[in-house]
Amino acid sequence: MPVVLFALLVIHLAVVSPLLGRRTYAALRENRSRYTRMSLIWIGELWAIALVALAIVGLSSDLDLAGIGLLATEDLSTVLGMIVGLTIVTLAAGLVIRLKKITMPGQAAFEALIPRTAGERWLALGLAISAGVCEEIVYRGLLISGFMSLLDLPRPVAAGLALAIFVVGHLYQGWRGMVMVTLAGFSLTMLYFSTGSLLLPIVLHILVDVRSLLITPRLAPTAEGRGNGTAGVPTAHA
């Protein structure tokens, strides 16, 4: 049962989700009035796949929460200090970028996701948090351990496959965005391996997405609750 669920989840992540994501993102670029609906769909999907991942862990005798990085760190004070440091650096860099109106490389790939109204900003925050938590549990936690435990693959191969699926999941961003996602995903994987916990990767992932979506140069405002304007070409994800 766990192997079947794992295989179905991998198929969804590698094929179904990327195609649906590209389709919904293209629809958003054509009509910004779809921002709320699209954001809620993506947030719902993220939590759904995370719950499936945890169900697979619960059903498998070869997997446990500690094995997918969901464990309490022994040196909590050090980790909390690193989290505070990462938060300060990320927010400070984001404010400088916003005040100086610096366009970050790859920003065009996800420009349609950048909020333009107060309501959209709350949705973007929810999307950033959901992506940081759920994607790390699924792509870094479950997939790597699952490929190793359920399919008996060596860790480098398992990590490479998980990273490839993570990158394909950002198909909507085009190849330039996927290059940036590859670099980000590799860094998060190395952080996970070096700490043995998903805590820091989750926090860093959320901070990067918050910076990308919420602490950016302001785009031209659109009328609240409506608008048919198109955004630029897609980039990095949450």
Side-chain angles (χ1 to χ4, degrees):
M1 182 66 167
V3 176
V4 174
L5 283 177
F6 183 79
L8 290 175
L9 180 61
V10 169
I11 292 172
H12 175 81
L13 295 173
V15 181
V16 179
S17 184
L19 295 177
L20 288 178
R22 184 169 65 174
R23 180 178 178 181
T24 55
Y25 185 82
L28 174 63
R29 290 179 61 196
E30 294 175 0
N31 187 345
R32 283 200 61 86
S33 68
R34 296 172 176 170
Y35 192 97
T36 297
R37 181 173 181 272
M38 188 223 70
S39 298
L40 292 175
I41 289 174
W42 281 16
I43 290 172
E45 181 192 10
L46 285 166
W47 287 103
I49 62 175
L51 289 174
V52 171
L54 293 176
I56 292 171
V57 173
L59 292 170
S60 174
S61 59
D62 298 317
L63 297 171
D64 55 31
L65 294 181
I68 65 168
L70 292 177
L71 44 74
T73 179
E74 296 179 0
D75 190 359
L76 187 58
S77 60
T78 300
V79 173
L80 290 176
M82 294 176 67
I83 290 173
V84 171
L86 283 172
T87 302
I88 293 173
V89 170
T90 302
L91 294 180
L95 288 174
V96 170
I97 291 169
R98 180 165 184 167
L99 291 174
K100 293 186 175 294
K101 298 182 179 180
I102 300 171
T103 300
M104 296 299 292
Q107 183 174 318
F110 60 92
E111 191 171 345
L113 290 177
I114 297 176
R116 303 185 185 184
T117 68
E120 289 181 357
R121 282 189 282 276
W122 282 110
L123 287 168
L125 177 60
L127 183 58
I129 294 172
S130 299
V133 174
C134 300
E135 289 186 351
E136 292 309 309
I137 290 174
V138 173
Y139 292 100
R140 243 68 63 189
L142 176 72
L143 289 191
I144 294 176
S145 294
F147 284 135
M148 292 172 61
S149 300
L150 301 179
L151 301 182
D152 199 27
L153 296 178
R155 190 166 82 158
V157 176
L161 280 176
L163 178 59
I165 295 172
F166 177 68
V167 173
V168 170
H170 297 76
L171 180 65
Y172 71 94
Q173 295 180 12
W175 72 268
R176 288 185 178 86
M178 292 169 74
V179 169
M180 301 299 293
V181 170
T182 300
L183 297 176
F186 179 79
S187 300
L188 290 167
T189 301
M190 292 300 99
L191 181 59
Y192 172 42
F193 285 166
S194 65
T195 62
S197 170
L198 288 176
L199 180 57
L200 282 178
I202 286 174
V203 172
L204 182 58
H205 194 148
I206 292 173
L207 289 173
V208 169
D209 284 357
V210 167
R211 206 259 352 129
S212 298
L213 294 177
L214 295 169
I215 312 178
T216 59
R218 288 185 180 275
L219 298 175
T222 58
E224 186 82 32
R226 56 184 288 272
N228 294 316
T230 58
V233 188
T235 37
H237 184 18

